[in-house]
Amino acid sequence: MPNIGPFELLVLAVIVIALLGVGLAAVRAGARPAGPLAWRSPGLLPPVSAELQHRVRELYADNKKIEAIKLIREQTGLGLKEAKDLAEALASGRPLPVAPGHARPDLASRVRELKAAGRGEQAVFLVRGETGMGQAEAERFVDAIDAVDVEGGEA
């Protein structure tokens, strides 16, 4: 085995550092930003807190649409179009948007499914997150859904 002196070790260290630097730069240039969207399936929104929904509605009411879209982008990592669509939906009271082909059941159906699985607290959390309701109001909503069976008749 050949002897490696201090000079050779220094040269090897410089080469390794240079390669790591180039590799890191390449990864950064081609990588998507990590964060709230790293886990997300296409067409599905990241979690949108009731607080964010409320703040966006306030900004729209104050005619500060750009600030509302910026806030959504900062807190969710969404792109410009997705953030704009979300802001408009929140401001108008429409359901949160989803991509074509990724439609989901309405809120009441999802609440029924959660309650049938014994996950009532999660149903309340879902209602609060999607509507901006307070705890008591969301609990009343979930309780009212319980009185109707899946076909829509009385239980």
Side-chain angles (χ1 to χ4, degrees), residues 32-33 35-37 40 46 71-79 82:
R32 293 182 60 162
L37 295 183
R40 184 167 80 97
L71 181 64
I72 289 172
R73 292 189 73 194
E74 290 170 2
Q75 292 196 14
T76 65
L78 289 172
E82 290 176 307

Side-chain angles (χ1 to χ4, degrees), residues 17-31:
I17 291 171
L19 288 174
L20 287 173
V22 169
L24 183 60
V27 168
R28 282 187 179 172

